[in-house]
Amino acid sequence: MSQWLSFTNQKLYQARLLLEQSRRETGNPALAEGLETSGLYLMQDAFISYLNELATLATYRGEVSSFSDLLNKTPLVTGEMTEIRILAEDPYSWLSAFLREAETRWRPGPAGNPQAAGAVNVIAVAQSDDIQPQSWWQHLSDLIDSQRENRQES
């Protein structure tokens, strides 16, 4: 697990650096968007790495590539997994919004840019504009930290 733990931490750190630079980048919108997108991808890497931490704790020795993969492959569903499942299934949660955004960013055209296609963005309507990648990063980091702390206390 220690390999996954340090890898998760590394990806969270790199994502934070890119997202902070994205916010500071005012002269070049394309660079700001590229930094933000890269930050989102690193957050997604950190999330998948954290899922592998959880898989190891649940005695699964292979790798998982998604949350559904984790649930399908691990012999034990832990409290941490249940908390993530609740967040992932809630269409208005930060995790759900983050995962949707990370999923759509890799697609070309309208699917990769819902605003350009005039698509309805459920999250934008349901939540305030302060839910941005930096906020998602903070929520993800807090979730991972709190779940790790709870395990240490047990």
Side-chain angles (χ1 to χ4, degrees):
M1 182 175 91
S2 64
Q3 289 178 331
W4 285 116
L5 188 142
S6 62
F7 190 72
T8 301
N9 290 344
Q10 176 188 26
K11 295 303 172 187
L12 280 172
Y13 176 70
Q14 292 170 338
R16 182 178 59 84
L17 292 177
L18 287 172
L19 293 172
E20 286 175 356
Q21 186 63 35
S22 169
R23 288 177 59 180
R24 288 192 295 267
E25 184 57 52
T26 57
N28 188 340
L31 178 58
E33 183 181 352
L35 290 166
E36 182 178 277
T37 299
S38 297
L40 281 171
Y41 290 153
L42 285 168
M43 285 172 53
Q44 189 174 36
D45 288 348
F47 180 67
I48 292 169
S49 178
Y50 183 64
L51 296 178
N52 279 283
E53 284 182 49
L54 296 178
T56 301
L57 289 171
T59 68
Y60 180 69
R61 298 294 172 227
E63 290 185 17
V64 298
S65 59
S66 67
F67 184 62
S68 61
D69 198 24
L70 173 68
L71 293 178
N72 290 331
K73 291 181 177 179
T74 55
L76 171 70
V77 175
T78 65
E80 292 96 338
M81 292 178 204
T82 301
E83 183 179 6
I84 291 170
R85 181 185 51 78
I86 290 168
L87 284 168
E89 289 176 353
D90 177 357
Y92 301 107
S93 76
W94 66 267
L95 182 60
S96 186
F98 157 62
L99 293 174
R100 267 194 310 277
E101 182 67 17
E103 178 67 23
T104 61
R105 290 260 179 143
W106 69 269
R107 290 187 182 103
N113 187 358
Q115 288 76 23
V120 176
N121 187 343
V122 175
I123 296 305
V125 171
Q127 295 181 350
S128 67
D129 290 338
D130 67 347
I131 303 299
Q132 298 297 320
Q134 294 81 8
S135 178
W136 294 332
W137 180 91
Q138 189 62 59
H139 285 296
L140 180 60
S141 181
D142 290 347
L143 174 72
I144 291 170
D145 287 345
S146 70
Q147 288 190 350
R148 285 175 177 167
E149 287 173 15
N150 286 341
R151 281 195 301 272
Q152 289 177 353
E153 291 175 5
S154 299

